[in-house]
Amino acid sequence: MTQVPSSVPVLKRTLLFGFLFAAAIAVVGGVIAGIVAGPVGALSAVIGAVMAAVFLGITAASILIAVRYDIVAFFAIVLGSWLVKFVLFIVAALSLRDLAERHGELA
């Protein structure tokens, strides 16, 4: 029987509470931003919460997967996930930049 690393239960709780918190931010932030800035504000709050949940999920999932392997593979998996998050952030920033230009009256 293999021993479960002590980080596994912590990371599973992190995923659970992180996703719940991101969902709460999406709902509360979406409502408040919808009242203050209209539909564009609500969409922005939801997009921000989804991005936070995705990045949290990638980080925790990569560590949960990587703990099964030796130290070299562990670091390769974790650093690879950082690269994936960096690329996703750049893609999201470039995509959302066009959205922000279309709604420049809010800036």
Side-chain angles (χ1 to χ4, degrees), residues 18-27 29-30 42-59 85 88-89 92 96:
F19 288 146
L20 290 174
F21 191 65
I25 288 174
V27 171
L43 179 63
S44 297
V46 171
I47 289 172
V50 168
M51 286 177 60
V54 167
F55 291 150
L56 170 80
I58 290 172
T59 300
K85 289 192 302 186
L88 284 176
F89 179 79
L96 295 174

Side-chain angles (χ1 to χ4, degrees), residues 11-21:
L11 288 169
K12 286 182 179 180
R13 277 195 314 270
T14 300
L15 279 172
L16 173 67
F17 290 126
F19 288 146
L20 290 174
F21 191 65

